[in-house]
Amino acid sequence: MQRDLPQLPTRRRFSDAASAKFFYLAEKIARVYEPTTTQLEELDRAYGSTGDYLSTCPEFDGLLYRVHAHGSRQLGTMVRPIDACRTGYDIDLAACLEAAGMRRYGGPTGPALLIEHLYVALKRYADRHGLEIKRHERCVTLTYAGGMTADFAPIIDDPSQVVMHGDTHASIPDRDLQRYISTNPRGYCKAFDLIAQISPAFERSTAMHMTFDSMRKSELVPLPDAEEVFGRLLSRLVQLTKINRNIRFGAPSGTLDLAPPSSFLTTLVANAYAIEAPKPHDGPMDLLLDMVSLIPKLFQRLQLPEGREFWYLSNPTALNDNLAGCMDTTTKQKAFDAWHERLQTDLTVLVDAIDQNAGLDVIAKAAERAFGDRAKNAVLEDNAARREEKRASGQAVFIAGGSTAISTPSRAHTNFGD
């Protein structure tokens, strides 16, 4: 991680109230894109049942001992797929085999045999339960009821002493099924969690906490607890970045997918947080803007012949794992740079609308620009719900400047505008 990066230009100061309202909106927007508690329970139950089945399959002869979720499910950064035809979520799963599995699945034909055994075993399960199944290069995908898809990737325990959290290091078949390469999904989650535990150095932290608490107690803006908000700050910032990516790139069309992969984005945002969070900031707004500005500087761009570039982003928990490996064409790289520039603009427009107390329609439009229709509807529906709640209790809520809520005694037969 580079600690000697050039200092970013000093930003204007944001008020405690503006920062609180920004993160209130961020909470609302992220929640409409993430699974509910019920959906998560159903998801865990579905893959848990499949994992129990796999552990008893004769193909693995007792070597498969666990199936666990990793990636966004474990990091708390899941977001709804952009495909409008789907209602389910995607989940990544590791089917873990004991280290002794390498004796059975080693050698030049071992990786292909391991994937074949996983597919044959899951095919029986899919046929029994009426599920769709697809075989891919490194994993097998099941589609459950409701459209949830689960990618099962087989990995073999291979502890390492030279990487972070090497006790959970493992080997996974490469895409050509010719050899094994390094992986460490549980180690990656541990590394992410350590970064997430960094407390942001908000210069007016006490005042901001008091602002959150005051707004919650007065019920002018129903915010979650301040400690709860900042405790999951990194996950929320990753979610916002991924949602904007999904909106900008849309659903994949055929075999062409220019969107940067989630592992690449998540690592960049986490690394940016590790660098910027300890530095003084007014609040979440300028922290996020500084993090996004830093992102292009956090991976290597090596010049190749004919003007091409090779991008490299190290995974500290796995050997020689290039998390930028999928960014391997000039088209993808140019698309990333264009998206990053647009992300900065989208966030600046939204931050400006909040900071300048713009009208509700302006804030909703800025939210739509950055995070799509669901975000706009979340802003409008939340405003309507709060207003109706105040009316029912004998008060009315005027949205002053679109973000400052003021409670007053309600009068009968009055129409309240925005």
Side-chain angles (χ1 to χ4, degrees), residues 181-202:
I181 58 176
S182 177
T183 189
N184 195 353
R186 279 183 285 172
Y188 183 92
C189 290
K190 292 176 184 177
F192 183 93
D193 289 342
L194 286 176
I195 295 176
Q197 291 172 19
I198 299 174
S199 297
F202 295 145

Side-chain angles (χ1 to χ4, degrees), residues 22 47 116 153 160 181 194 199 221 254 272 291 339 383 385 403 407 416:
F22 166 78
Y47 84 74
E116 174 65 17
S160 171
I181 58 176
L194 286 176
S199 297
V221 181
M291 287 171 55
W339 165 74
N383 175 71
S403 58
S407 295
F416 301 97

Side-chain angles (χ1 to χ4, degrees), residues 249-260 326 332:
F249 284 94
S253 177
T255 59
L256 182 62
D257 186 6
L258 298 179
C326 291
K332 289 181 180 180

